[in-house]
Amino acid sequence: MGFVIREIILWPKEENVGKRVIKFKSGVINIITGASKTGKSSIIPIIDYCMGAQKCAIPVTAVRENCSWFGLLLVDDSNGHRELLLCRREPGEYQASSDMFYEYSEKVHIPDYHPRRNCSLPEVKERLNELLSVSDLALKLSDDAPLGNARPSYRDFSAFLFQPQNIIANSDVLFYKTDTYEHRKRLIDIFPYVLGAETSETLRLRIEKKQLERDKKTLVAKLDSYEQARHLWNLQLDSIIYRAIELGLIRQRTDKMSMSDKVNSLKTILQDSANVSNYQKEIPQSAGRLSTLYEKEKDISARLFLLKRRLQEVNKLLDTTDLYSKALDEEKNRLHSSSWLLEQTNKSDATCPICHHSLKDDAAKTLKHLCEVMEDVETESKQFSFVAPAVDKEQLQIKGEIETLSSELDQLQKQIRLEESSNPQEYTTNQISRFLGAVENYLAIYNEVSGESADSVRLKSIEDRIKEVNRIIDEDAIQRELKYKLQMIQQYAEDALQTLDVEKHEGPVTFSIPDLTISVSDSRGRKNYLSEIGSAANWLSYHIAMLLALQEYFQIDHPGQVPSFLVLDQPSQVYFPKGLDDAKTSLLESDRESISEDREAVKKVFATLSDFVERTYGKIQVIVLEHAGSDIWGEFDNMKLIEEWRGNDSKLIPSTWIRGQYEPLFW
């Protein structure tokens, strides 16, 4: 048996008022019953907050306004009944506080006034993970999340400990906090480990395998890119060699050259700069004229580029001014009638021609304001009217310059072609330099692609390690073990369902870890998931059966990590509204029969809980926060009334704590 709850402690903000303590018992059904708005639904958030919840979900009304610290006293029945005290400061205007008090000893001391911080939230989480023997390995193995940014935590066990009002009869969500994507994915990842189908070593190997698979995927993509680059490189090699021959940089025949010989020839060209210089000296003086023409072509092209980019900006500005001008005109048209209407207000019987209401007083003020707005719009329109012509003028000027430069460039390029055609074997220094730069870049790509051998060796090593890890993990054995453990849990759920109010329960219950839900097979063999099964009464029954089954497995068959308590909030809510069991009104006979049936259905819940405590030898503590009174659950064994919150001063927060006139709502 693991941790059970002994006390919940609340410390007031007023120091002259004593602390509030709620005591619980082990091995029984602990019941807190009471009317609405007394604080029952604050119990689960208080326990969860003290156990390290990321955010404080305790209602922000009377509970948080009047409490300075919250405390939880747990007893470790698996370790000589040692006590664990977890206290946490009320967060005030923040989402949560990291200030905590932690003590784990034979007998802890609970201060009369609020505790003093002795550790932080991360420190408490680390200590509790060690205390519950939770692996310190990262577990975030989902493909859509970074590896290693999370680890199994006792916080993940909260899914098996709490069933608040919004979850206990939910058709879509079976576990606490799994209505959010992050918590849902974490619970899916951790389930095999928590059930004991995976050991810490298996978990470590699975994490290693996941990282190896990611590395393999990266390497395969890299090698594929090498292959594509090599194919493109081979296509370009011959054309580069031919160009080198044209430039006179390669003089021998290349038709019988191998690919490696061609590559070596290109490397030789880069290395033998002296030969290139000698060749360049042989270029006639006519090459100097070409060089000058090339430089001029380059200069005109650059100026054309800038002018065209400026023209694009001017065109965009013209479009914007046109839109803005139209918007101003539209605004003036809308406001034009305002001046006429304002003139009508001078008449004694002035009325609106549309709605026929008076145009005096407030209407006149409004019309005057609209006329002022219209004057502002007209002023801005007049000022803006000077912008468009200026922009049009600049547009025409730029177009003229572009036309002139384009014509000049066209003539220059004709001259260059004529000069080149008159000297077919003569090439400029500039051309050779550009070619050598291209060859240098080309060979750099070749060196990168040809260096794939190291990556290929690494890929082979990764693939071998993945095979080895798969052999050690033995996925088939894990799945067999997981299937066996799930069958045990499913059978426990079946046993609980026998005494619950389930409609037409025919086939076996199956729990799906990837879906975090259950399915029930019907007489035709079709699996119906929880969301497909109608009636909130059915949803409630399957929730209770599954949570009891998991706790029975954790505490009887696989004890150690998961605390041995379960808190249920308002299981009777699906059968009748709050307060109906206390109503003393006269009802129709049909209504009386319906209420009687619902009361019997609620009794089945408590009968099932009582049988569960007996079957598990009192090793699991159950806490029920309930509106229904003892006439519903009082006849069953193992029931322990902890507190009853009915009456003016019987609530979670004593009236002596309330500051001033305060009417508690929704807490």
Side-chain angles (χ1 to χ4, degrees), residues 83 85 180 193 211 244 302 405 460 481 552 571 602 623 647:
E83 294 181 344
L85 180 61
T180 63
Y193 172 73
Q211 185 62 60
L405 283 177
K460 179 65 167 57
E481 184 71 11
E552 184 169 356
V602 179
I623 298 174

Side-chain angles (χ1 to χ4, degrees), residues 326-499:
K326 289 179 180 178
L328 288 175
D329 290 341
E330 185 177 351
E331 189 71 15
K332 284 193 294 183
N333 291 335
R334 289 178 178 175
L335 295 170
H336 184 70
S337 59
S338 302
S339 58
W340 180 81
L341 287 171
L342 183 61
E343 292 175 359
Q344 302 305 309
T345 58
N346 297 324
K347 299 179 181 179
S348 59
D349 58 344
T351 58
C352 176
I354 299 174
C355 65
H356 304 295
H357 284 82
S358 173
L359 292 178
K360 296 294 183 179
D361 302 328
D362 292 340
K365 293 180 181 177
T366 302
L367 289 170
K368 185 177 180 181
H369 172 69
L370 291 175
C371 289
E372 292 173 353
V373 172
M374 186 177 71
E375 290 176 1
D376 293 340
V377 171
E378 289 177 342
T379 301
E380 186 171 356
S381 179
K382 290 177 181 178
Q383 294 174 347
F384 189 73
S385 62
F386 297 102
V387 174
V391 178
D392 286 334
K393 182 179 179 181
E394 184 176 0
Q395 183 191 46
L396 291 174
Q397 182 180 346
I398 294 173
K399 285 182 178 180
E401 292 180 16
I402 290 176
E403 186 176 349
T404 301
L405 283 177
S406 296
S407 177
E408 186 177 345
L409 180 63
D410 183 56
Q411 292 298 322
L412 183 63
Q413 288 174 340
K414 288 180 181 179
Q415 187 178 355
I416 290 173
R417 286 194 295 271
L418 181 63
E419 189 74 28
E420 288 178 341
S421 63
S422 63
N423 300 281
Q425 301 300 320
E426 296 170 357
Y427 298 91
T428 65
T429 304
N430 187 42
Q431 286 178 305
I432 294 176
S433 299
R434 282 187 291 181
F435 175 74
L436 293 177
V439 169
E440 187 175 11
N441 182 60
Y442 183 74
L443 290 176
I445 295 174
Y446 170 78
N447 292 332
E448 183 179 352
V449 220
S450 61
E452 67 175 276
S453 57
D455 291 320
S456 299
V457 171
R458 186 172 173 224
L459 178 61
K460 179 65 167 57
S461 174
I462 288 175
E463 290 174 337
D464 291 343
R465 179 56 182 166
I466 290 175
K467 291 178 182 178
E468 183 181 2
V469 170
N470 284 335
R471 180 182 56 79
I472 299 173
I473 289 179
D474 194 355
E475 195 68 45
D476 292 338
I478 291 176
Q479 291 304 315
R480 286 194 301 269
E481 184 71 11
L482 187 59
K483 181 179 179 181
Y484 169 71
K485 293 177 182 299
L486 286 176
Q487 285 175 342
M488 293 176 61
I489 294 169
Q490 288 160 183
Q491 185 56 54
Y492 291 151
E494 286 282 349
D495 294 341
L497 286 168
Q498 301 308 311
T499 53

